């Protein structure tokens, strides 16, 4: 890989279950992430994805591409438009720099309303990853 190379896109269906499960898994109990009526009362048309779920999906996008030995060194993201149930989040990445075994990737995630997330991820892929022993039965 070299600078300006594009990573293949990843499309993630944004389901109600994904939004609620992500909020629960990240201990974000704000009602706008699981209670439709509460979200509407606060001016949103529906529940919406939290930033911690988005952060996890960005991390998944990078490690899916760079492999199981990839180590996320820095994830710096900014949220844009919300993701609602029924949306599709399309993550795209561009390699902005490569220094030895460390890469920086510019990530943009878009859905029907525009850019949901933008940011950069610094990832290291060791040239000689440690061997992980197989579990013994």
């Amino acid at each position: 890989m070299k600078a300006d190379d594009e990573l293949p896109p990843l499309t993630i269906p944004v389901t109600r279950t994904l939004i609620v499960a992500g909020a629960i898994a990240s201990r974000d109990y704000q009602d706008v992430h699981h209670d439709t009526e509460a979200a509407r009362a606060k001016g949103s048309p529906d529940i919406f994805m939290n930033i911690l779920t988005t952060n996890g999906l960005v991390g998944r996008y990078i490690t899916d591409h760079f492999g199981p030995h990839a180590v996320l060194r820095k994830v710096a993201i900014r949220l844009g438009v919300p993701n609602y149930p029924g949306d599709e989040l399309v993550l795209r990445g561009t390699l902005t720099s490569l220094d030895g075994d460390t890469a920086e990737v510019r990530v943009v995630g878009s859905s029907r309303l525009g850019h949901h997330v933008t940011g950069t991820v610094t990832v290291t892929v060791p040239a000689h990853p440690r061997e992980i022993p197989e579990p013994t039965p």
Side-chain angles (χ1 to χ4, degrees):
M1 292 194 78
K2 61 186 182 330
D4 296 325
D5 279 357
E6 293 186 12
L7 280 60
L10 173 65
T11 301
I12 301 167
V14 179
T15 64
R16 191 168 297 280
T17 300
L18 175 64
I19 293 169
V20 173
I24 291 170
S26 61
R27 296 182 174 184
D28 183 347
Y29 303 117
Q30 293 292 315
D31 54 11
V32 294
H33 303 306
H34 65 84
D35 183 329
T36 301
E37 294 309 313
R40 287 182 181 148
K42 293 179 179 175
S44 178
D46 205 338
I47 62 172
F48 53 91
M49 186 179 289
N50 73 350
I51 191 169
L52 297 170
T53 302
T54 300
N55 197 61
L57 293 172
V58 168
R60 171 191 162 193
Y61 175 59
I62 297 298
T63 58
D64 279 1
H65 178 76
F66 286 96
H69 297 290
V71 178
L72 300 177
R73 298 293 179 187
K74 180 180 178 184
V75 178
I77 61 170
R78 173 179 226 115
L79 287 184
V81 300
N83 270 341
Y84 295 111
D87 286 346
E88 278 191 338
L89 174 62
V90 180
L91 293 166
R92 299 179 191 286
T94 304
L95 189 67
T96 57
S97 68
L98 186 59
D99 183 14
D101 61 357
T102 300
E104 184 175 270
V105 180
R106 173 89 176 132
V107 176
V108 176
S110 301
S111 59
R112 66 184 166 87
L113 296 176
H115 291 328
H116 169 68
V117 62
T118 56
T120 57
V121 177
T122 304
V123 59
T124 299
V125 183
H128 303 289
R130 286 184 338 174
E131 288 295 319
I132 300 172
E134 292 291 322
T136 55

